[in-house]
Amino acid sequence: MDAIIRPSADIRNHYNEISRQCREERVPVILTVNGRGDTAVLGLQDYYQMKSELELLRTLAEADEDVKTGRVAPIQDTFDDIRSKLLEMRNEI
């Protein structure tokens, strides 16, 4: 489902409804000021998921660059490093 667009005053007047939409329907809400997009609101679960996915994409981009430049390591060392980073991320959440 696409984002829902609402005026910024709705965050004050209809917070519970916006919060429910973000959490239960898992849809972002775009708040507008003077008819222009200003702020995006999303559920905390979706925020953490997006943050984790972005970090994964950054890691993959770095890995791709490492392969292109010949900076490689034995596979077991790489998997151990990935497991360690995933455990750190899990402990942060």
Side-chain angles (χ1 to χ4, degrees), residues 68-80:
K68 287 178 183 176
T69 59
R71 291 186 310 256
V72 295
I75 193 72
Q76 189 59 50
D77 294 348
T78 302
F79 282 131
D80 291 344

Side-chain angles (χ1 to χ4, degrees), residues 12-66:
R12 180 178 52 249
N13 300 325
H14 302 283
Y15 174 80
N16 289 335
E17 181 183 337
I18 291 171
S19 176
R20 183 195 58 74
Q21 285 176 317
C22 292
R23 280 182 290 108
E24 294 176 11
E25 297 175 28
R26 297 191 68 178
V27 59
V29 175
I30 306 298
L31 300 174
T32 63
V33 174
N34 297 323
R36 301 191 127 173
D38 180 71
T39 304
V41 179
L42 64 153
L44 192 58
Q45 179 181 358
D46 291 326
Y47 168 77
Y48 284 136
Q49 181 178 343
M50 187 183 328
K51 187 176 173 184
S52 294
E53 289 172 359
L54 183 58
E55 182 61 33
L56 176 59
L57 288 172
R58 285 182 180 142
T59 301
L60 291 173
E62 289 175 11
D64 189 48
E65 185 63 28
D66 287 345

